[in-house]
PDB file of all heavy atoms in Angstrom:
ATOM      1  N   LEU C   1     -18.691  -9.170 -25.226  1.00 77.00           N
ATOM      2  CA  LEU C   1     -17.352  -8.640 -25.472  1.00 77.00           C
ATOM      3  C   LEU C   1     -16.792  -7.952 -24.228  1.00 77.00           C
ATOM      4  O   LEU C   1     -17.452  -7.098 -23.635  1.00 77.00           O
ATOM      5  CB  LEU C   1     -17.391  -7.660 -26.642  1.00 77.00           C
ATOM      6  CG  LEU C   1     -17.812  -8.279 -27.977  1.00 77.00           C
ATOM      7  CD1 LEU C   1     -18.095  -7.195 -29.000  1.00 77.00           C
ATOM      8  CD2 LEU C   1     -16.731  -9.219 -28.495  1.00 77.00           C
ATOM      9  N   PRO C   2     -15.563  -8.287 -23.844  1.00 79.00           N
ATOM     10  CA  PRO C   2     -14.968  -7.672 -22.661  1.00 79.00           C
ATOM     11  C   PRO C   2     -14.307  -6.340 -22.993  1.00 79.00           C
ATOM     12  O   PRO C   2     -14.096  -6.007 -24.155  1.00 79.00           O
ATOM     13  CB  PRO C   2     -13.910  -8.701 -22.247  1.00 79.00           C
ATOM     14  CG  PRO C   2     -13.472  -9.295 -23.559  1.00 79.00           C
ATOM     15  CD  PRO C   2     -14.699  -9.327 -24.431  1.00 79.00           C
ATOM     16  N   GLY C   3     -13.979  -5.587 -21.953  1.00 83.00           N
ATOM     17  CA  GLY C   3     -13.161  -4.394 -22.116  1.00 83.00           C
ATOM     18  C   GLY C   3     -13.874  -3.214 -22.744  1.00 83.00           C
ATOM     19  O   GLY C   3     -15.108  -3.105 -22.713  1.00 83.00           O
ATOM     20  N   ALA C   4     -13.074  -2.327 -23.336  1.00 87.00           N
ATOM     21  CA  ALA C   4     -13.573  -1.063 -23.872  1.00 87.00           C
ATOM     22  C   ALA C   4     -14.645  -1.237 -24.946  1.00 87.00           C
ATOM     23  O   ALA C   4     -15.685  -0.565 -24.897  1.00 87.00           O
ATOM     24  CB  ALA C   4     -12.408  -0.235 -24.408  1.00 87.00           C
ATOM     25  N   PRO C   5     -14.450  -2.094 -25.957  1.00 90.00           N
ATOM     26  CA  PRO C   5     -15.496  -2.236 -26.980  1.00 90.00           C
ATOM     27  C   PRO C   5     -16.836  -2.663 -26.388  1.00 90.00           C
ATOM     28  O   PRO C   5     -17.892  -2.155 -26.782  1.00 90.00           O
ATOM     29  CB  PRO C   5     -14.932  -3.303 -27.921  1.00 90.00           C
ATOM     30  CG  PRO C   5     -13.461  -3.237 -27.732  1.00 90.00           C
ATOM     31  CD  PRO C   5     -13.267  -2.924 -26.287  1.00 90.00           C
ATOM     32  N   GLY C   6     -16.803  -3.587 -25.425  1.00 92.00           N
ATOM     33  CA  GLY C   6     -18.044  -4.044 -24.813  1.00 92.00           C
ATOM     34  C   GLY C   6     -18.764  -2.930 -24.082  1.00 92.00           C
ATOM     35  O   GLY C   6     -19.983  -2.761 -24.220  1.00 92.00           O
ATOM     36  N   LEU C   7     -18.031  -2.141 -23.302  1.00 93.00           N
ATOM     37  CA  LEU C   7     -18.662  -1.041 -22.577  1.00 93.00           C
ATOM     38  C   LEU C   7     -19.257  -0.019 -23.529  1.00 93.00           C
ATOM     39  O   LEU C   7     -20.373   0.482 -23.309  1.00 93.00           O
ATOM     40  CB  LEU C   7     -17.643  -0.385 -21.647  1.00 93.00           C
ATOM     41  CG  LEU C   7     -18.213   0.685 -20.701  1.00 93.00           C
ATOM     42  CD1 LEU C   7     -17.569   0.583 -19.325  1.00 93.00           C
ATOM     43  CD2 LEU C   7     -17.997   2.099 -21.259  1.00 93.00           C
ATOM     44  N   LEU C   8     -18.527   0.293 -24.598  1.00 95.00           N
ATOM     45  CA  LEU C   8     -19.039   1.243 -25.585  1.00 95.00           C
ATOM     46  C   LEU C   8     -20.318   0.732 -26.240  1.00 95.00           C
ATOM     47  O   LEU C   8     -21.276   1.476 -26.438  1.00 95.00           O
ATOM     48  CB  LEU C   8     -17.983   1.502 -26.665  1.00 95.00           C
ATOM     49  CG  LEU C   8     -17.029   2.665 -26.458  1.00 95.00           C
ATOM     50  CD1 LEU C   8     -16.053   2.737 -27.620  1.00 95.00           C
ATOM     51  CD2 LEU C   8     -17.781   3.969 -26.311  1.00 95.00           C
ATOM     52  N   LEU C   9     -20.328  -0.555 -26.572  1.00 96.00           N
ATOM     53  CA  LEU C   9     -21.496  -1.142 -27.217  1.00 96.00           C
ATOM     54  C   LEU C   9     -22.703  -1.127 -26.294  1.00 96.00           C
ATOM     55  O   LEU C   9     -23.840  -0.885 -26.735  1.00 96.00           O
ATOM     56  CB  LEU C   9     -21.175  -2.570 -27.668  1.00 96.00           C
ATOM     57  CG  LEU C   9     -20.248  -2.665 -28.876  1.00 96.00           C
ATOM     58  CD1 LEU C   9     -19.640  -4.060 -28.993  1.00 96.00           C
ATOM     59  CD2 LEU C   9     -20.996  -2.308 -30.160  1.00 96.00           C
ATOM     60  N   TRP C  10     -22.483  -1.384 -24.996  1.00 96.00           N
ATOM     61  CA  TRP C  10     -23.608  -1.327 -24.064  1.00 96.00           C
ATOM     62  C   TRP C  10     -24.104   0.107 -23.894  1.00 96.00           C
ATOM     63  O   TRP C  10     -25.320   0.341 -23.764  1.00 96.00           O
ATOM     64  CB  TRP C  10     -23.208  -1.921 -22.714  1.00 96.00           C
ATOM     65  CG  TRP C  10     -23.147  -3.411 -22.726  1.00 96.00           C
ATOM     66  CD1 TRP C  10     -22.076  -4.198 -22.452  1.00 96.00           C
ATOM     67  CD2 TRP C  10     -24.219  -4.309 -23.052  1.00 96.00           C
ATOM     68  NE1 TRP C  10     -22.395  -5.529 -22.583  1.00 96.00           N
ATOM     69  CE2 TRP C  10     -23.709  -5.623 -22.953  1.00 96.00           C
ATOM     70  CE3 TRP C  10     -25.559  -4.133 -23.420  1.00 96.00           C
ATOM     71  CZ2 TRP C  10     -24.482  -6.753 -23.192  1.00 96.00           C
ATOM     72  CZ3 TRP C  10     -26.343  -5.252 -23.675  1.00 96.00           C
ATOM     73  CH2 TRP C  10     -25.807  -6.549 -23.554  1.00 96.00           C
ATOM     74  N   ALA C  11     -23.194   1.079 -23.872  1.00 97.00           N
ATOM     75  CA  ALA C  11     -23.611   2.486 -23.791  1.00 97.00           C
ATOM     76  C   ALA C  11     -24.418   2.879 -25.025  1.00 97.00           C
ATOM     77  O   ALA C  11     -25.451   3.560 -24.918  1.00 97.00           O
ATOM     78  CB  ALA C  11     -22.394   3.390 -23.632  1.00 97.00           C
ATOM     79  N   MET C  12     -23.961   2.456 -26.203  1.00 97.00           N
ATOM     80  CA  MET C  12     -24.699   2.735 -27.434  1.00 97.00           C
ATOM     81  C   MET C  12     -26.068   2.068 -27.420  1.00 97.00           C
ATOM     82  O   MET C  12     -27.065   2.649 -27.863  1.00 97.00           O
ATOM     83  CB  MET C  12     -23.905   2.257 -28.651  1.00 97.00           C
ATOM     84  CG  MET C  12     -22.700   3.101 -28.987  1.00 97.00           C
ATOM     85  SD  MET C  12     -21.718   2.388 -30.326  1.00 97.00           S
ATOM     86  CE  MET C  12     -22.858   2.503 -31.690  1.00 97.00           C
ATOM     87  N   THR C  13     -26.127   0.846 -26.894  1.00 97.00           N
ATOM     88  CA  THR C  13     -27.395   0.134 -26.818  1.00 97.00           C
ATOM     89  C   THR C  13     -28.383   0.874 -25.922  1.00 97.00           C
ATOM     90  O   THR C  13     -29.540   1.100 -26.302  1.00 97.00           O
ATOM     91  CB  THR C  13     -27.177  -1.289 -26.270  1.00 97.00           C
ATOM     92  OG1 THR C  13     -26.296  -2.005 -27.139  1.00 97.00           O
ATOM     93  CG2 THR C  13     -28.499  -2.042 -26.165  1.00 97.00           C
ATOM     94  N   GLY C  14     -27.939   1.268 -24.736  1.00 98.00           N
ATOM     95  CA  GLY C  14     -28.823   1.978 -23.820  1.00 98.00           C
ATOM     96  C   GLY C  14     -29.315   3.300 -24.382  1.00 98.00           C
ATOM     97  O   GLY C  14     -30.510   3.616 -24.333  1.00 98.00           O
ATOM     98  N   ALA C  15     -28.384   4.083 -24.923  1.00 98.00           N
ATOM     99  CA  ALA C  15     -28.754   5.390 -25.480  1.00 98.00           C
ATOM    100  C   ALA C  15     -29.699   5.237 -26.666  1.00 98.00           C
ATOM    101  O   ALA C  15     -30.654   6.007 -26.827  1.00 98.00           O
ATOM    102  CB  ALA C  15     -27.498   6.149 -25.895  1.00 98.00           C
ATOM    103  N   THR C  16     -29.449   4.239 -27.507  1.00 98.00           N
ATOM    104  CA  THR C  16     -30.288   4.038 -28.691  1.00 98.00           C
ATOM    105  C   THR C  16     -31.673   3.525 -28.314  1.00 98.00           C
ATOM    106  O   THR C  16     -32.672   3.879 -28.940  1.00 98.00           O
ATOM    107  CB  THR C  16     -29.617   3.066 -29.676  1.00 98.00           C
ATOM    108  OG1 THR C  16     -28.314   3.560 -29.985  1.00 98.00           O
ATOM    109  CG2 THR C  16     -30.411   2.945 -30.960  1.00 98.00           C
ATOM    110  N   LEU C  17     -31.751   2.689 -27.279  1.00 97.00           N
ATOM    111  CA  LEU C  17     -33.059   2.240 -26.794  1.00 97.00           C
ATOM    112  C   LEU C  17     -33.888   3.423 -26.309  1.00 97.00           C
ATOM    113  O   LEU C  17     -35.086   3.513 -26.587  1.00 97.00           O
ATOM    114  CB  LEU C  17     -32.879   1.223 -25.666  1.00 97.00           C
ATOM    115  CG  LEU C  17     -32.515  -0.202 -26.091  1.00 97.00           C
ATOM    116  CD1 LEU C  17     -32.166  -1.044 -24.857  1.00 97.00           C
ATOM    117  CD2 LEU C  17     -33.654  -0.848 -26.869  1.00 97.00           C
ATOM    118  N   GLY C  18     -33.246   4.337 -25.583  1.00 97.00           N
ATOM    119  CA  GLY C  18     -33.959   5.536 -25.150  1.00 97.00           C
ATOM    120  C   GLY C  18     -34.446   6.360 -26.323  1.00 97.00           C
ATOM    121  O   GLY C  18     -35.584   6.830 -26.350  1.00 97.00           O
ATOM    122  N   PHE C  19     -33.570   6.530 -27.316  1.00 97.00           N
ATOM    123  CA  PHE C  19     -33.952   7.291 -28.510  1.00 97.00           C
ATOM    124  C   PHE C  19     -35.081   6.601 -29.266  1.00 97.00           C
ATOM    125  O   PHE C  19     -36.005   7.260 -29.767  1.00 97.00           O
ATOM    126  CB  PHE C  19     -32.740   7.458 -29.417  1.00 97.00           C
ATOM    127  CG  PHE C  19     -33.056   8.082 -30.747  1.00 97.00           C
ATOM    128  CD1 PHE C  19     -33.328   9.433 -30.852  1.00 97.00           C
ATOM    129  CD2 PHE C  19     -33.112   7.300 -31.895  1.00 97.00           C
ATOM    130  CE1 PHE C  19     -33.638  10.004 -32.071  1.00 97.00           C
ATOM    131  CE2 PHE C  19     -33.418   7.857 -33.118  1.00 97.00           C
ATOM    132  CZ  PHE C  19     -33.688   9.222 -33.207  1.00 97.00           C
ATOM    133  N   THR C  20     -35.039   5.279 -29.343  1.00 97.00           N
ATOM    134  CA  THR C  20     -36.050   4.530 -30.089  1.00 97.00           C
ATOM    135  C   THR C  20     -37.438   4.745 -29.502  1.00 97.00           C
ATOM    136  O   THR C  20     -38.445   4.737 -30.233  1.00 97.00           O
ATOM    137  CB  THR C  20     -35.704   3.025 -30.102  1.00 97.00           C
ATOM    138  OG1 THR C  20     -34.386   2.851 -30.629  1.00 97.00           O
ATOM    139  CG2 THR C  20     -36.676   2.240 -30.963  1.00 97.00           C
ATOM    140  N   ALA C  21     -37.523   4.938 -28.191  1.00 94.00           N
ATOM    141  CA  ALA C  21     -38.822   5.180 -27.561  1.00 94.00           C
ATOM    142  C   ALA C  21     -39.500   6.415 -28.128  1.00 94.00           C
ATOM    143  O   ALA C  21     -40.747   6.502 -28.157  1.00 94.00           O
ATOM    144  CB  ALA C  21     -38.635   5.330 -26.045  1.00 94.00           C
ATOM    145  N   TYR C  22     -38.720   7.365 -28.622  1.00 94.00           N
ATOM    146  CA  TYR C  22     -39.273   8.594 -29.204  1.00 94.00           C
ATOM    147  C   TYR C  22     -39.260   8.570 -30.729  1.00 94.00           C
ATOM    148  O   TYR C  22     -39.960   9.357 -31.367  1.00 94.00           O
ATOM    149  CB  TYR C  22     -38.462   9.804 -28.729  1.00 94.00           C
ATOM    150  CG  TYR C  22     -38.718  10.224 -27.311  1.00 94.00           C
ATOM    151  CD1 TYR C  22     -38.160   9.537 -26.235  1.00 94.00           C
ATOM    152  CD2 TYR C  22     -39.527  11.328 -27.029  1.00 94.00           C
ATOM    153  CE1 TYR C  22     -38.389   9.928 -24.930  1.00 94.00           C
ATOM    154  CE2 TYR C  22     -39.758  11.730 -25.720  1.00 94.00           C
ATOM    155  CZ  TYR C  22     -39.191  11.020 -24.675  1.00 94.00           C
ATOM    156  OH  TYR C  22     -39.426  11.405 -23.385  1.00 94.00           O
ATOM    157  N   ASN C  23     -38.453   7.690 -31.320  1.00 95.00           N
ATOM    158  CA  ASN C  23     -38.288   7.674 -32.769  1.00 95.00           C
ATOM    159  C   ASN C  23     -39.045   6.540 -33.447  1.00 95.00           C
ATOM    160  O   ASN C  23     -39.118   6.488 -34.670  1.00 95.00           O
ATOM    161  CB  ASN C  23     -36.792   7.559 -33.105  1.00 95.00           C
ATOM    162  CG  ASN C  23     -36.478   7.697 -34.575  1.00 95.00           C
ATOM    163  OD1 ASN C  23     -35.959   6.774 -35.197  1.00 95.00           O
ATOM    164  ND2 ASN C  23     -36.775   8.843 -35.162  1.00 95.00           N
ATOM    165  N   TRP C  24     -39.636   5.634 -32.648  1.00 95.00           N
ATOM    166  CA  TRP C  24     -40.388   4.529 -33.240  1.00 95.00           C
ATOM    167  C   TRP C  24     -41.614   5.083 -33.968  1.00 95.00           C
ATOM    168  O   TRP C  24     -42.239   6.027 -33.513  1.00 95.00           O
ATOM    169  CB  TRP C  24     -40.813   3.534 -32.164  1.00 95.00           C
ATOM    170  CG  TRP C  24     -41.420   2.294 -32.738  1.00 95.00           C
ATOM    171  CD1 TRP C  24     -42.740   1.956 -32.749  1.00 95.00           C
ATOM    172  CD2 TRP C  24     -40.732   1.242 -33.413  1.00 95.00           C
ATOM    173  NE1 TRP C  24     -42.923   0.754 -33.382  1.00 95.00           N
ATOM    174  CE2 TRP C  24     -41.703   0.288 -33.805  1.00 95.00           C
ATOM    175  CE3 TRP C  24     -39.400   1.011 -33.730  1.00 95.00           C
ATOM    176  CZ2 TRP C  24     -41.389  -0.877 -34.494  1.00 95.00           C
ATOM    177  CZ3 TRP C  24     -39.070  -0.146 -34.416  1.00 95.00           C
ATOM    178  CH2 TRP C  24     -40.058  -1.071 -34.794  1.00 95.00           C
ATOM    179  N   PRO C  25     -41.963   4.531 -35.131  1.00 93.00           N
ATOM    180  CA  PRO C  25     -43.084   5.052 -35.924  1.00 93.00           C
ATOM    181  C   PRO C  25     -44.407   5.058 -35.131  1.00 93.00           C
ATOM    182  O   PRO C  25     -44.731   4.056 -34.500  1.00 93.00           O
ATOM    183  CB  PRO C  25     -43.177   4.069 -37.094  1.00 93.00           C
ATOM    184  CG  PRO C  25     -41.838   3.392 -37.152  1.00 93.00           C
ATOM    185  CD  PRO C  25     -41.330   3.344 -35.749  1.00 93.00           C
ATOM    186  N   PRO C  26     -45.121   6.188 -35.177  1.00 92.00           N
ATOM    187  CA  PRO C  26     -44.759   7.463 -35.795  1.00 92.00           C
ATOM    188  C   PRO C  26     -43.826   8.264 -34.890  1.00 92.00           C
ATOM    189  O   PRO C  26     -44.090   8.448 -33.713  1.00 92.00           O
ATOM    190  CB  PRO C  26     -46.112   8.170 -35.944  1.00 92.00           C
ATOM    191  CG  PRO C  26     -46.946   7.621 -34.830  1.00 92.00           C
ATOM    192  CD  PRO C  26     -46.499   6.189 -34.633  1.00 92.00           C
ATOM    193  N   ALA C  27     -42.724   8.724 -35.452  1.00 92.00           N
ATOM    194  CA  ALA C  27     -41.665   9.363 -34.675  1.00 92.00           C
ATOM    195  C   ALA C  27     -42.113  10.703 -34.106  1.00 92.00           C
ATOM    196  O   ALA C  27     -42.762  11.497 -34.788  1.00 92.00           O
ATOM    197  CB  ALA C  27     -40.439   9.572 -35.556  1.00 92.00           C
ATOM    198  N   ARG C  28     -41.725  10.931 -32.852  1.00 92.00           N
ATOM    199  CA  ARG C  28     -41.943  12.241 -32.245  1.00 92.00           C
ATOM    200  C   ARG C  28     -40.763  13.164 -32.508  1.00 92.00           C
ATOM    201  O   ARG C  28     -40.886  14.389 -32.388  1.00 92.00           O
ATOM    202  CB  ARG C  28     -42.156  12.089 -30.745  1.00 92.00           C
ATOM    203  CG  ARG C  28     -43.407  11.336 -30.362  1.00 92.00           C
ATOM    204  CD  ARG C  28     -43.489  11.074 -28.870  1.00 92.00           C
ATOM    205  NE  ARG C  28     -43.457  12.314 -28.112  1.00 92.00           N
ATOM    206  CZ  ARG C  28     -43.362  12.356 -26.777  1.00 92.00           C
ATOM    207  NH1 ARG C  28     -43.261  11.242 -26.092  1.00 92.00           N
ATOM    208  NH2 ARG C  28     -43.337  13.518 -26.150  1.00 92.00           N
ATOM    209  N   ILE C  29     -39.607  12.578 -32.833  1.00 93.00           N
ATOM    210  CA  ILE C  29     -38.407  13.364 -33.092  1.00 93.00           C
ATOM    211  C   ILE C  29     -37.501  12.568 -34.028  1.00 93.00           C
ATOM    212  O   ILE C  29     -37.515  11.329 -34.017  1.00 93.00           O
ATOM    213  CB  ILE C  29     -37.668  13.693 -31.776  1.00 93.00           C
ATOM    214  CG1 ILE C  29     -36.572  14.735 -31.996  1.00 93.00           C
ATOM    215  CG2 ILE C  29     -37.112  12.439 -31.115  1.00 93.00           C
ATOM    216  CD1 ILE C  29     -36.011  15.311 -30.706  1.00 93.00           C
ATOM    217  N   PHE C  30     -36.739  13.278 -34.863  1.00 93.00           N
ATOM    218  CA  PHE C  30     -35.801  12.641 -35.778  1.00 93.00           C
ATOM    219  C   PHE C  30     -34.391  12.636 -35.171  1.00 93.00           C
ATOM    220  O   PHE C  30     -34.074  13.442 -34.301  1.00 93.00           O
ATOM    221  CB  PHE C  30     -35.756  13.374 -37.113  1.00 93.00           C
ATOM    222  CG  PHE C  30     -37.069  13.372 -37.854  1.00 93.00           C
ATOM    223  CD1 PHE C  30     -37.381  14.392 -38.740  1.00 93.00           C
ATOM    224  CD2 PHE C  30     -37.993  12.354 -37.676  1.00 93.00           C
ATOM    225  CE1 PHE C  30     -38.580  14.403 -39.429  1.00 93.00           C
ATOM    226  CE2 PHE C  30     -39.198  12.340 -38.357  1.00 93.00           C
ATOM    227  CZ  PHE C  30     -39.489  13.370 -39.241  1.00 93.00           C
ATOM    228  N   MET C  31     -33.551  11.751 -35.698  1.00 94.00           N
ATOM    229  CA  MET C  31     -32.167  11.652 -35.234  1.00 94.00           C
ATOM    230  C   MET C  31     -31.359  12.864 -35.653  1.00 94.00           C
ATOM    231  O   MET C  31     -30.593  13.421 -34.860  1.00 94.00           O
ATOM    232  CB  MET C  31     -31.523  10.373 -35.767  1.00 94.00           C
ATOM    233  CG  MET C  31     -30.092  10.167 -35.332  1.00 94.00           C
ATOM    234  SD  MET C  31     -29.362   8.622 -35.955  1.00 94.00           S
ATOM    235  CE  MET C  31     -30.246   7.405 -34.994  1.00 94.00           C
ATOM    236  N   GLY C  32     -31.479  13.279 -36.904  1.00 92.00           N
ATOM    237  CA  GLY C  32     -30.710  14.396 -37.415  1.00 92.00           C
ATOM    238  C   GLY C  32     -29.280  14.007 -37.730  1.00 92.00           C
ATOM    239  O   GLY C  32     -28.804  12.924 -37.359  1.00 92.00           O
ATOM    240  N   ASP C  33     -28.567  14.893 -38.395  1.00 94.00           N
ATOM    241  CA  ASP C  33     -27.166  14.649 -38.750  1.00 94.00           C
ATOM    242  C   ASP C  33     -26.289  14.505 -37.517  1.00 94.00           C
ATOM    243  O   ASP C  33     -25.272  13.796 -37.551  1.00 94.00           O
ATOM    244  CB  ASP C  33     -26.629  15.791 -39.619  1.00 94.00           C
ATOM    245  CG  ASP C  33     -27.218  15.777 -41.017  1.00 94.00           C
ATOM    246  OD1 ASP C  33     -27.983  14.840 -41.326  1.00 94.00           O
ATOM    247  OD2 ASP C  33     -26.915  16.694 -41.796  1.00 94.00           O
ATOM    248  N   VAL C  34     -26.661  15.165 -36.423  1.00 95.00           N
ATOM    249  CA  VAL C  34     -25.863  15.089 -35.204  1.00 95.00           C
ATOM    250  C   VAL C  34     -25.719  13.646 -34.742  1.00 95.00           C
ATOM    251  O   VAL C  34     -24.652  13.238 -34.249  1.00 95.00           O
ATOM    252  CB  VAL C  34     -26.486  15.963 -34.085  1.00 95.00           C
ATOM    253  CG1 VAL C  34     -27.890  15.501 -33.725  1.00 95.00           C
ATOM    254  CG2 VAL C  34     -25.607  15.952 -32.842  1.00 95.00           C
ATOM    255  N   GLY C  35     -26.757  12.841 -34.937  1.00 95.00           N
ATOM    256  CA  GLY C  35     -26.697  11.446 -34.530  1.00 95.00           C
ATOM    257  C   GLY C  35     -26.191  10.520 -35.609  1.00 95.00           C
ATOM    258  O   GLY C  35     -25.370   9.629 -35.350  1.00 95.00           O
ATOM    259  N   SER C  36     -26.653  10.715 -36.843  1.00 96.00           N
ATOM    260  CA  SER C  36     -26.307   9.772 -37.910  1.00 96.00           C
ATOM    261  C   SER C  36     -24.821   9.837 -38.271  1.00 96.00           C
ATOM    262  O   SER C  36     -24.189   8.802 -38.515  1.00 96.00           O
ATOM    263  CB  SER C  36     -27.167  10.026 -39.157  1.00 96.00           C
ATOM    264  OG  SER C  36     -26.958  11.326 -39.677  1.00 96.00           O
ATOM    265  N   LEU C  37     -24.227  11.026 -38.298  1.00 97.00           N
ATOM    266  CA  LEU C  37     -22.795  11.139 -38.592  1.00 97.00           C
ATOM    267  C   LEU C  37     -21.956  10.515 -37.484  1.00 97.00           C
ATOM    268  O   LEU C  37     -20.974   9.808 -37.740  1.00 97.00           O
ATOM    269  CB  LEU C  37     -22.404  12.598 -38.795  1.00 97.00           C
ATOM    270  CG  LEU C  37     -23.054  13.337 -39.972  1.00 97.00           C
ATOM    271  CD1 LEU C  37     -22.570  14.786 -40.017  1.00 97.00           C
ATOM    272  CD2 LEU C  37     -22.747  12.638 -41.290  1.00 97.00           C
ATOM    273  N   PHE C  38     -22.344  10.775 -36.251  1.00 97.00           N
ATOM    274  CA  PHE C  38     -21.651  10.224 -35.089  1.00 97.00           C
ATOM    275  C   PHE C  38     -21.682   8.698 -35.127  1.00 97.00           C
ATOM    276  O   PHE C  38     -20.650   8.032 -34.975  1.00 97.00           O
ATOM    277  CB  PHE C  38     -22.321  10.747 -33.812  1.00 97.00           C
ATOM    278  CG  PHE C  38     -21.732  10.234 -32.523  1.00 97.00           C
ATOM    279  CD1 PHE C  38     -20.663  10.881 -31.927  1.00 97.00           C
ATOM    280  CD2 PHE C  38     -22.266   9.113 -31.893  1.00 97.00           C
ATOM    281  CE1 PHE C  38     -20.127  10.421 -30.728  1.00 97.00           C
ATOM    282  CE2 PHE C  38     -21.732   8.643 -30.701  1.00 97.00           C
ATOM    283  CZ  PHE C  38     -20.664   9.301 -30.115  1.00 97.00           C
ATOM    284  N   LEU C  39     -22.865   8.131 -35.338  1.00 97.00           N
ATOM    285  CA  LEU C  39     -23.001   6.675 -35.354  1.00 97.00           C
ATOM    286  C   LEU C  39     -22.308   6.059 -36.564  1.00 97.00           C
ATOM    287  O   LEU C  39     -21.716   4.971 -36.465  1.00 97.00           O
ATOM    288  CB  LEU C  39     -24.478   6.291 -35.342  1.00 97.00           C
ATOM    289  CG  LEU C  39     -25.215   6.514 -34.020  1.00 97.00           C
ATOM    290  CD1 LEU C  39     -26.705   6.257 -34.192  1.00 97.00           C
ATOM    291  CD2 LEU C  39     -24.645   5.623 -32.914  1.00 97.00           C
ATOM    292  N   GLY C  40     -22.388   6.728 -37.707  1.00 97.00           N
ATOM    293  CA  GLY C  40     -21.754   6.196 -38.905  1.00 97.00           C
ATOM    294  C   GLY C  40     -20.269   5.993 -38.714  1.00 97.00           C
ATOM    295  O   GLY C  40     -19.710   4.958 -39.105  1.00 97.00           O
ATOM    296  N   LEU C  41     -19.601   6.961 -38.087  1.00 97.00           N
ATOM    297  CA  LEU C  41     -18.161   6.830 -37.857  1.00 97.00           C
ATOM    298  C   LEU C  41     -17.863   5.851 -36.732  1.00 97.00           C
ATOM    299  O   LEU C  41     -16.995   4.983 -36.866  1.00 97.00           O
ATOM    300  CB  LEU C  41     -17.556   8.199 -37.535  1.00 97.00           C
ATOM    301  CG  LEU C  41     -16.039   8.201 -37.295  1.00 97.00           C
ATOM    302  CD1 LEU C  41     -15.283   7.611 -38.490  1.00 97.00           C
ATOM    303  CD2 LEU C  41     -15.533   9.607 -36.996  1.00 97.00           C
ATOM    304  N   LEU C  42     -18.582   5.947 -35.627  1.00 98.00           N
ATOM    305  CA  LEU C  42     -18.264   5.116 -34.472  1.00 98.00           C
ATOM    306  C   LEU C  42     -18.516   3.634 -34.743  1.00 98.00           C
ATOM    307  O   LEU C  42     -17.717   2.774 -34.342  1.00 98.00           O
ATOM    308  CB  LEU C  42     -19.068   5.568 -33.250  1.00 98.00           C
ATOM    309  CG  LEU C  42     -18.746   4.845 -31.944  1.00 98.00           C
ATOM    310  CD1 LEU C  42     -17.252   4.929 -31.620  1.00 98.00           C
ATOM    311  CD2 LEU C  42     -19.569   5.408 -30.795  1.00 98.00           C
ATOM    312  N   ILE C  43     -19.599   3.313 -35.434  1.00 98.00           N
ATOM    313  CA  ILE C  43     -19.864   1.906 -35.756  1.00 98.00           C
ATOM    314  C   ILE C  43     -18.782   1.362 -36.679  1.00 98.00           C
ATOM    315  O   ILE C  43     -18.305   0.235 -36.509  1.00 98.00           O
ATOM    316  CB  ILE C  43     -21.267   1.755 -36.372  1.00 98.00           C
ATOM    317  CG1 ILE C  43     -22.331   1.949 -35.289  1.00 98.00           C
ATOM    318  CG2 ILE C  43     -21.433   0.391 -37.048  1.00 98.00           C
ATOM    319  CD1 ILE C  43     -23.748   1.954 -35.801  1.00 98.00           C
TER     320      ILE C  43
END
C-alpha cells in the first residue's frame, strides 16, 4: 500500500514485532490497556 496508510502499517508491524519478542509465550510482559485500546481504534 502506498502513502500514509502503508507507512502507518509498516510502523505498526515493526513496533508489534518488537513487542512480540517479549510477549510471545511465555510472556515477559503484557500489552495492557495502553496498547489494546490504541490498536483497537487505529486498526
Side-chain angles (χ1 to χ4, degrees):
L1 297 168
L7 187 140
L8 268 179
L9 287 162
W10 284 121
M12 287 174 65
T13 300
T16 305
L17 282 172
F19 173 74
T20 304
Y22 285 78
N23 187 242
W24 188 255
R28 295 173 59 188
I29 191 168
F30 298 153
M31 181 179 289
D33 289 356
V34 61
S36 61
L37 297 179
F38 179 87
L39 288 173
L41 181 56
L42 185 55
I43 288 174

